[in-house]
Amino acid sequence: MSALPDGTPYTTRVAEDPADREACFAVRKEVFVVEQGVPEDIEYDALDAVALHVLAVREDGTPLGTGRLLHGEAAADRTGGDPTVGSLGRLAVTQEARGLGVGAALVRAIEDAARARGLAAVDLHAQTHALGFYERLGYEAYGPEFPDAGIPHRAMRRALQVY
């Protein structure tokens, strides 16, 4: 369990049941569709059914953020086909929880899930405004900038330490 700066406890966990998954999708809709104008029909995809979803929630159950991990065949087009690399994506934190450590906690939870699946590294496609956030977490950008849903992105990767 972690705590927000005001002392409010929150946890990050793998979204196991339908209610958790719906909370993940609700956060993504709020952040990507409503705030950033990503068309809803491209925000949700067939990979949601096979992805591992992680959810951050306050002690009272209020969702604060989400992210997903793709691995194996589902991640192949994002990782150059390397089966030892997972793909972190759809990381979203609600406005009220931004800047409070929730995003970093979600990234670390996704990395833990990747490690548990035997993965050696995690790739992601970062919106360019978020490059500094991921760099502080140990990710390194590679390749050229590219558009995704009309938003500039860069590919990034972090090798995972085995504990």
Side-chain angles (χ1 to χ4, degrees):
M1 180 154 313
S2 301
L4 299 173
D6 69 0
T8 303
Y10 76 94
T11 58
T12 55
R13 64 177 186 251
V14 172
E16 300 282 2
D17 61 41
D20 278 355
R21 290 173 61 89
E22 286 305 313
C24 292
F25 297 150
V27 170
R28 285 170 46 187
K29 183 172 185 172
E30 176 185 331
V31 173
F32 296 127
V33 178
V34 176
E35 287 180 34
Q36 297 182 355
V38 173
E40 198 164 355
D41 62 327
I42 65 170
E43 172 51 32
Y44 307 102
D45 60 26
L47 296 173
D48 281 325
V50 297
L52 177 138
H53 298 270
V54 175
L55 178 65
V57 293
R58 280 195 326 218
E59 194 173 47
D60 67 5
T62 302
L64 300 172
T66 187
R68 76 179 186 185
L69 174 69
L70 299 173
H71 54 93
E73 190 70 27
D77 69 330
R78 291 166 168 78
T79 62
D82 186 338
T84 68
V85 180
S87 176
L88 184 159
R90 303 302 204 269
L91 188 75
V93 176
T94 61
Q95 277 189 329
E96 70 168 304
R98 287 186 201 143
L100 304 178
V102 173
L106 285 162
V107 170
R108 295 303 186 222
I110 290 168
E111 290 171 350
D112 288 346
R115 241 183 241 99
R117 282 154 183 76
L119 301 177
V122 172
D123 268 16
L124 57 86
H125 293 165
Q127 293 181 7
T128 55
H129 72 82
L131 287 172
F133 166 77
Y134 290 110
E135 287 168 345
R136 287 187 296 279
L137 294 174
Y139 287 80
E140 294 180 13
Y142 66 90
E145 185 176 296
F146 60 92
D148 188 358
I151 301 167
H153 284 69
R154 291 273 316 271
M156 302 186 85
R157 178 173 286 189
R158 179 172 188 258
L160 298 176
Q161 303 297 322
V162 179
Y163 299 124

